Amino acid sequence: MALLPMLTMVMEMTLVAQELSIPILAWFHQFLQRTFFFEELHLSVGQEASAVGACGHLRQDDVITSNHRGHGHCLAKGVPPEEMIAELMAREAGTNRGRAGSMHVADPDLGVYGANGIVGAGMPIAVGAATSQRISRDDRVTVAFFGDGAVAQGAFHESLNLASVHLLPVVFFCENNGWAEFSKSSDQHRATLAERAAGYGVRHSSVDGGDVAAVADLMGHVIESVRRGKGPWVVEAVTHRARGHYEGDAQKYRDDTGPHVDPLERCRIHLAAGGVSDDEITAVETAVDARLMAAVESARAAPLPSATSVLESVTVPEPVVVETPVDKAREPWKMMDALRSAMAHSMEDDDNVFLVGVDIAEAPFAITRGLVDDFGVERVRSTPISETAVVGTAVGAAMDGKRPVAEIMYLDFIGVCFDQILNQAAKLHYMTGGKATLPLVIRTQFGAGRSSGSQHSQSLEALLAHIPGLTVVMPSNPADAYGLLRTSIESPNPVIFIENRLTYGMKGPVVGRDHRVPLGRASIPRTGTSVTVVSYSRMVNEALDAATTLESEGISVEVIDLRTIAPIDWETIEQSVKKTSRLVVAHEAVRDHGIGAEIAARAASDWFWHLDAPVVRVGAEFSPPPYSPGVEKEWLPCAEDVAEAVRTTARA
């Protein structure tokens, strides 16, 4: 598109066009300031030209991610101002039904995969969207908007590096306004963005971010190159932050708040030079003014979300899954074989399923061994050691229609990528008012008992189970591992699938290809009448061994295998407790503040009158996992600990 016709179209404010105009953005901000005040409102006044120029060459099926100052990006990509104003006023008619607010506006239908309140967090998600585009072999592109302050984040490094290594179709668009919150950018960086881009082998271009013509001209060339598969690009638009970090910011730290050249005025100058009359420009501004005033009044009159809607869109309802019986007479296979088969069969059945993780093609634990030979490097994607980028890849690709299975090598490593789990995967469906889809699985493993030390042996499932929006699964045997993993990959929700590495060699009967296990449904591998023992993962097998020992002592133990610990199958536990009147909860994790504590609390509050003895919890002592083998053995709960707990409650 020639420059002057595009500028004219921008000023005419074509309602259907994706390039919403600079006047819309400028007037939008003015109306926000006139009509209501939010302290946590982060305006992009002064940066309008970069948003319009960057998005002017994007199609609706292209993708953007944004930051906390993302109003302009979202509008320029096509989000109607009426919906956005209603969202900022927390109205049900808002873009995200009032669930997102100022910092989190998203509309996946328009390719807006979310503004983001976490600095730098949109870049790994953009890498995920670009990964999906690469796997699909289409010519879509992704643009990740971020501010200069985000360059200090690890997510920036991981995203650029992974995009470069995998030659992804993504543009990293930095709006460099010279301020990272309350600090000068020059005080925070010793290397320029151009130097950083060169270090990753990524092309870099700089542009005057206040000149919509210059931005549009550069981005036309950049987008064309990225569409043709030439790899990522860093664009640095030098802009001016006309307002403070947030509305209400006194800006006493600033010395550059004086007059600056308004991008809107510069656009007027370009149009006048191109022969557009003052009357035509005024007509567009008048129409924009009227539209936004009407939008503000409409939003004011619109209803707020119902107070009873608080639980809506936390998760997507799971499809009905019928569990098929396991034929125990069939030949055995190992847990690791069941897991590998579940992934292979899922990939055969659905082209949208792919695997991603650090060295996943090389299969450090042998679980994914050979899958790259069957499905190729595009669908079995080994990455650098970049857990944030790995999980971000899963989030962005899931939003883009894929079903990623991301591997985090050790459960302990979720600490390095926790934002993408806690604030992105778990919350985006809710914060978008149900618009975003997050069908992803994060596979990981844990397990003490091999002297792996405190940073490779932790049981952190309670930490994950405490996060609304996540499903947490922990299988105890090969049949369940296969069925649960197949169901998890087919789930519409983000699932954390935690395996115990000490069970990888465990054998059990082979199940059929169609075998599925419903999420959130416990099993009862052993019935009994004296005491209920609730457990999960490896400790189920310890509980079963304890039950066998106790049978000779005249104690009949019913063992419940939770299988899914978030959500917990409360009904199955309750029915068992009503039958036995005694309850023991056993897990490998430390006893304090764990899943056992939650179950004990529920028993005390809801089933108190059915209990004939106090609930007993079995777990590790409250310390990090020890390294020394003898100390670790003493620390780690075992079958005898479960048996002693059962004897205690049986005697009470």
Side-chain angles (χ1 to χ4, degrees):
M1 181 182 292
L3 180 58
L4 286 176
M6 191 190 87
L7 289 172
T8 303
M9 179 181 294
V10 169
M11 289 299 295
E12 287 175 346
M13 197 197 70
T14 306
L15 302 184
V16 181
Q18 298 307 303
E19 308 95 66
L20 289 185
S21 67
I22 287 179
I24 284 182
L25 305 185
W27 261 258
F28 170 68
H29 291 145
Q30 291 172 20
F31 273 116
L32 290 179
Q33 294 166 53
R34 287 185 217 154
T35 55
F36 63 94
F37 171 82
F38 285 155
E39 184 176 347
E40 288 303 316
L41 196 66
H42 304 81
L43 300 181
S44 56
V45 175
Q47 301 180 181
E48 297 92 343
S50 61
V52 173
C55 293
H57 294 276
L58 297 180
R59 307 188 308 237
Q60 180 169 320
D61 62 346
D62 291 325
V63 170
I64 68 167
T65 63
S66 183
N67 56 13
H68 62 284
R69 204 179 305 283
H71 306 149
H73 311 137
C74 298
L75 286 169
K77 187 60 169 67
V79 174
E82 293 84 358
E83 294 182 9
M84 179 173 287
I85 291 173
E87 183 62 37
L88 298 186
M89 291 187 179
R91 297 312 201 255
E92 183 71 32
T95 311
N96 306 116
R97 300 178 59 205
R99 272 71 171 174
S102 175
M103 289 187 287
H104 309 114
V105 177
D107 192 339
D109 293 338
L110 296 174
V112 180
Y113 284 8
N116 213 298
I118 309 298
V119 175
M123 287 186 278
I125 297 172
V127 166
T131 297
S132 173
Q133 294 159 355
R134 172 70 183 263
I135 293 173
S136 298
R137 299 182 182 278
D138 55 35
D139 67 343
R140 294 180 300 137
V141 301
T142 296
V143 176
F145 289 99
F146 62 101
D148 47 284
V151 175
Q153 287 280 2
F156 168 86
H157 161 77
E158 292 191 24
S159 299
L160 258 70
N161 188 55
L162 184 57
S164 179
V165 169
H166 285 179
L167 205 67
L168 297 178
V170 58
V171 179
F172 297 97
F173 194 100
C174 177
E175 291 175 311
N176 185 349
N177 61 41
W179 291 93
E181 294 190 341
F182 313 115
S183 301
K184 287 184 178 180
S185 298
S186 57
D187 294 337
Q188 298 190 358
H189 307 287
R190 290 293 176 263
T192 66
L193 188 54
E195 291 169 333
R196 292 175 185 271
Y200 301 110
V202 176
R203 295 166 292 178
H204 171 275
S205 296
S206 184
V207 66
D208 182 350
D211 187 337
V212 68
V215 177
D217 186 48
L218 172 63
M219 284 298 285
H221 170 64
V222 169
I223 293 297
E224 180 186 7
S225 173
V226 175
R227 282 201 200 284
R228 290 189 287 111
K230 301 299 183 180
W233 204 307
V234 173
V235 172
E236 183 176 8
V238 179
T239 66
H240 179 80
R241 192 179 82 188
R243 311 290 296 185
H245 172 56
Y246 59 90
E247 288 306 287
D249 179 2
Q251 303 190 78
K252 294 181 179 179
Y253 53 87
R254 289 186 69 171
D255 56 10
D256 68 338
T257 56
H260 68 284
V261 181
D262 178 21
L264 182 57
E265 184 57 37
R266 295 176 71 175
C267 184
R268 291 189 185 102
I269 293 170
H270 276 301
L271 290 171
V276 180
S277 70
D278 289 344
D279 289 344
E280 290 175 287
I281 294 174
T282 299
V284 171
E285 292 176 342
T286 300
V288 172
D289 199 326
R291 181 181 181 186
L292 290 178
M293 178 61 80
V296 169
E297 294 307 315
S298 175
R300 279 176 168 164
L304 293 164
S306 168
T308 61
S309 67
V310 63
L311 295 179
E312 291 181 9
S313 301
V314 176
T315 57
V316 182
E318 291 286 347
V320 176
V321 173
V322 178
E323 183 173 358
T324 54
V326 176
D327 183 357
K328 295 183 179 180
R330 295 192 65 179
E331 69 275 13
W333 62 349
K334 293 181 179 179
M335 174 83 86
M336 59 191 302
D337 299 324
L339 293 166
R340 184 189 304 111
S341 295
M343 285 182 278
H345 292 162
S346 295
M347 295 175 76
E348 290 169 0
D349 293 346
D350 187 348
D351 290 340
N352 288 316
V353 178
F354 73 95
L355 313 182
V356 61
V358 177
D359 296 329
I360 196 168
E362 290 70 33
F365 291 100
I367 306 302
T368 54
R369 181 177 295 163
L371 293 179
V372 68
D373 299 327
D374 297 331
F375 298 99
V377 295
E378 290 290 356
R379 293 183 66 195
V380 183
R381 305 181 69 85
S382 285
T383 72
I385 303 174
S386 308
E387 284 82 6
T388 291
V390 167
V391 179
T393 293
V395 173
M399 293 183 73
D400 203 61
K402 297 295 187 289
R403 290 186 175 272
V405 180
E407 180 180 287
I408 299 299
M409 196 176 294
Y410 286 85
L411 178 56
D412 314 70
F413 297 172
I414 64 168
V416 266
C417 57
F418 201 40
D419 168 65
Q420 288 294 320
I421 298 173
L422 167 69
N423 289 316
Q424 313 303 325
K427 292 184 173 66
L428 284 175
H429 180 71
Y430 181 81
M431 291 196 306
T432 60
K435 286 186 175 182
T437 57
L438 278 303
L440 63 92
V441 175
I442 299 173
R443 277 189 57 246
T444 188
Q445 58 80 32
F446 81 112
R450 290 185 175 175
S451 293
S452 296
S454 296
Q455 295 179 346
H456 286 71
S457 307
Q458 297 172 90
S459 303
L460 302 175
E461 64 273 10
L463 181 65
L464 295 161
H466 191 68
I467 301 171
L470 296 180
T471 301
V472 183
V473 177
M474 300 183 74
S476 67
N477 61 75
D480 281 354
Y482 179 90
L484 286 166
L485 186 51
R486 290 300 307 266
T487 307
S488 296
I489 294 172
E490 294 163 358
S491 170
N493 296 302
V495 178
I496 313 295
F497 195 94
I498 305 174
E499 305 148 13
N500 189 300
R501 64 178 173 271
L502 271 65
T503 66
Y504 281 157
M506 176 185 180
K507 293 183 178 180
V510 171
V511 294
R513 184 187 184 103
D514 295 331
H515 182 65
R516 301 289 190 278
V517 174
L519 303 180
R521 187 87 51 80
S523 68
I524 305 177
R526 182 184 180 112
T527 59
T529 58
S530 303
V531 179
T532 297
V533 176
V534 177
S535 191
Y536 53 88
S537 191
R538 183 190 68 86
M539 283 299 293
V540 170
N541 304 304
E542 298 294 310
L544 290 170
D545 289 346
T548 300
T549 298
L550 292 166
E551 185 176 21
S552 63
E553 301 175 21
I555 302 175
S556 175
V557 177
E558 179 152 291
V559 177
I560 294 177
D561 182 354
L562 288 179
R563 304 194 291 193
T564 303
I565 64 166
I568 288 176
D569 183 354
W570 295 111
E571 182 180 357
T572 296
I573 302 173
E574 180 181 8
Q575 293 305 313
S576 180
V577 169
K578 286 180 178 179
K579 178 173 63 174
T580 66
S581 300
R582 286 173 167 80
L583 176 61
V584 171
V585 188
H587 49 59
E588 187 170 314
V590 294
R591 183 173 57 252
D592 303 58
H593 314 295
I595 301 301
E598 180 65 23
I599 294 173
R602 177 66 70 95
S605 65
D606 292 4
W607 314 323
F608 179 80
W609 299 109
H610 298 289
L611 291 170
D612 290 338
V615 178
V616 181
R617 290 176 291 148
V618 177
E621 294 297 327
F622 197 68
S623 80
Y627 169 68
S628 179
V631 180
E632 183 183 40
K633 183 177 180 181
E634 178 66 23
W635 173 84
L636 188 64
C638 62
E640 180 51 37
D641 296 317
V642 177
E644 188 55 36
V646 171
R647 294 185 188 106
T648 298
T649 192
R651 289 193 297 262

